[in-house]
Amino acid sequence: MIYWQLFMAFFRVGILGYGGGPASIPLVEKEVVKQYKWMDDEEFDNTLALGNSLPGPIATKLAGYIGYRVGGWIGMISALIATVIPTVVLLIALFYFVDALSDQPWLSGMTTAVIPVVGVMLAVMTLDFLKKSRNGLKSWQIVALLAASVVLIELLHIHPAFLILALLLFALVIPEKRKEEDKA
């Protein structure tokens, strides 16, 4: 039963995650946190942060890790197949469809119309992340991290993985400094 649930959860993500890996993250969160409750919000956020610090597509990394965590190796394989197969089948079908109708204006309008929906999904998830960050950070720290992230990622074109890794290392060091300060 758990393998079937994993397959269906990630199949829905694979078939509805239009717009690439980042666009599928809210769908994965809905299935994993809200629908099946395999993780709580904090666990999902931590998994997402670590997954983003590693190379490769985020949807398959999430499927592999969550599938393994929930159902072991068979769960991982089930979640990965469900994530990849719909996209591969749709890509093959769409290739023939788009190729046959490439001169139709409604076709480009159809793909353009989906972009605002994906933007709203990402904005909702961003607001959720900001709300959750208030649990461990002060407002000025959130603003400082937002500003630093925008400068580093958008203006200086630093890969987000380096920023996430730096913050993880910083978080590992800070508690030790606090303990040392408390002892003194």
Side-chain angles (χ1 to χ4, degrees), residues 88-111:
V88 171
V89 171
L90 282 176
L91 181 62
I92 293 168
L94 279 175
F95 174 77
Y96 289 109
F97 178 73
V98 169
D99 191 46
L101 301 172
S102 62
D103 57 344
Q104 299 295 320
W106 59 267
L107 184 63
S108 66
M110 191 173 85
T111 55

Side-chain angles (χ1 to χ4, degrees), residues 7-82:
F7 184 87
M8 288 309 298
F10 284 97
F11 180 80
R12 282 190 290 268
V13 171
I15 203 83
L16 299 173
Y18 189 86
S24 67
I25 294 170
L27 298 173
V28 174
E29 181 185 31
K30 182 180 178 209
E31 295 289 340
V32 170
V33 176
K34 295 178 176 104
Q35 173 73 23
Y36 290 107
K37 302 185 185 331
W38 291 321
M39 290 181 164
D40 62 24
D41 285 331
E42 186 177 346
E43 291 171 315
F44 184 80
D45 295 346
N46 291 337
T47 302
L48 181 61
L50 286 174
N52 274 325
S53 68
L54 299 172
I58 189 64
T60 52
K61 288 184 285 188
L62 289 174
Y65 173 72
I66 294 167
Y68 179 77
R69 182 181 159 164
V70 172
W73 291 104
I74 296 173
M76 179 187 77
I77 292 168
S78 177
L80 284 172
I81 287 173

